[in-house]
Amino acid sequence: MMASLCKRLWWWPALLVHTQAFAFDIDDLRQLVREKDLSTVEEVIAHLPREYTESYTLAYASQSLQGSSPENPRAILFGRTAQFVLTFNGDPSQQHHDAIEAMQFREGSESFELYSIEFEDGAVDFSEPNPEVCAGCHGSPPHPIWSSYEYGDREASHWPGVYGSTHDAPALEAGEKAAFQRFRARAASHPRYRHLVLSNTGAPWFPYAMGPNQHRFRPNNRLGNLLARWHARQIVALIREDDFVDRHPGVSQAWLLQCPGTAGDGYRRR
């Protein structure tokens, strides 16, 4: 019965990764910059669709090329679907302060594209897709980097270095709570962060929650779920390109589904 079920469920990734079509992407950003004659990071943030300025998280100890700190975190804006993600930081002394980093998932090719958008002396320079400097972290082919949510340990820090690191609730971590309060106190007058939606009557710690059961106020968990869907599509496309899958479809599907007898090196063809 289990073997039969595995055969019938080979198409399950298609259901899990279906996401509503999205209208704003890197090409729209280029058009926005051109039509509005935008020349600074601040101007771009001010003109982004609202779904970006209200769907974001903040990394205070980012390991990316873009600098960050508790007072000036790296803002990660991902909208409704995370098909297009934008990031920026907040202090002129930070690395890549005069740049927006972006990640685009391309349907059709089922691949991710990384971009660096540089702002200097009134000029805006969009990099070619996947500059070499990005491969050091994101690999080749490039893919998103985001910690998964661990359900088993309530006290674990699921997203180290990101506000809301435990259950998307800064209030659960005393040091993080104090740092987030300091950030909020100055964000409304900051030239960049002030363009973000900074409050919501349903969430005193917006964009984060008070605890684990308010998913609409859990940007870290939402971002992880959304990126996992796009990444799954990329993985499926890469698997389909490999001739092993064509030569051994049953074995490949059974291994992916972890059907009995395929979980480790002890698999034997029956």
Side-chain angles (χ1 to χ4, degrees):
M1 179 177 179
M2 181 61 71
S4 176
L5 178 63
C6 289
K7 290 180 180 178
R8 291 199 304 270
L9 293 181
W10 67 267
W11 39 260
W12 69 271
L15 294 182
L16 291 182
V17 301
H18 175 73
T19 308
Q20 182 180 0
F22 185 55
F24 191 78
D25 60 13
I26 188 69
D27 302 314
D28 294 314
L29 182 61
R30 284 196 183 95
Q31 183 176 349
L32 179 68
V33 168
R34 183 174 60 254
E35 291 183 351
K36 300 291 186 180
D37 193 25
L38 308 180
S39 60
T40 67
V41 175
E42 292 79 6
E43 290 176 344
V44 171
I45 302 168
H47 285 83
L48 290 175
R50 182 180 173 87
E51 68 178 88
Y52 276 88
T53 57
E54 67 181 1
S55 293
Y56 65 91
T57 190
L58 303 164
Y60 56 82
S62 172
Q63 298 182 27
S64 74
L65 295 175
Q66 211 163 37
S68 62
S69 69
E71 294 76 19
N72 293 280
R74 184 185 188 223
I76 304 170
L77 285 57
F78 57 91
R80 290 189 302 270
T81 68
Q83 186 171 358
F84 184 51
V85 179
L86 299 164
T87 71
F88 63 88
N89 57 23
D91 189 274
S93 67
Q94 291 174 324
Q95 188 174 7
H96 287 206
H97 176 70
D98 292 322
I100 289 175
E101 294 183 349
M103 180 174 67
Q104 169 81 46
F105 182 81
R106 290 289 190 187
E107 297 186 89
S109 65
E110 304 296 287
S111 61
F112 290 94
E113 295 176 351
L114 306 176
Y115 295 87
S116 179
I117 305 154
E118 307 284 342
F119 297 78
E120 185 175 3
D121 298 328
V124 184
D125 180 32
F126 284 75
S127 74
E128 293 297 316
N130 305 323
E132 186 175 348
V133 68
C134 298
C137 291
H138 289 272
S140 180
H143 58 273
I145 302 172
W146 192 252
S147 297
S148 62
Y149 179 73
E150 300 294 339
Y151 287 94
D153 187 352
R154 181 176 175 81
E155 303 303 321
S157 179
H158 308 294
W159 301 282
V162 181
Y163 282 123
S165 60
T166 301
H167 295 291
D168 280 278
L172 296 180
E173 301 287 343
E176 191 175 282
K177 174 183 175 181
F180 188 57
Q181 286 177 319
R182 292 193 296 271
F183 166 77
R184 284 164 60 92
R186 58 188 294 272
S189 59
H190 189 278
R192 294 186 178 180
Y193 302 125
R194 67 185 179 88
H195 297 298
L196 301 177
V197 177
L198 297 169
S199 63
N200 185 294
T201 55
W205 298 98
F206 190 82
Y208 307 101
M210 298 280 294
N213 299 317
Q214 297 173 294
H215 190 70
R216 65 192 178 112
F217 300 128
R218 299 197 62 188
N220 294 326
N221 199 23
R222 292 204 325 272
L223 178 58
N225 290 339
L226 292 168
L227 289 179
R229 293 179 178 186
W230 297 120
H231 196 190
R233 288 179 57 160
Q234 180 188 39
I235 292 171
V236 169
L238 291 172
I239 290 172
R240 286 173 173 166
E241 292 175 2
D242 194 304
D243 64 354
F244 180 87
V245 177
D246 292 331
R247 291 185 287 111
H248 306 285
V251 173
S252 303
Q253 292 161 13
W255 184 85
L256 286 169
L257 290 169
Q258 298 184 359
C259 293
T262 66
D265 294 336
Y267 174 78
R268 293 183 176 87
R269 182 186 294 272
R270 288 182 172 82

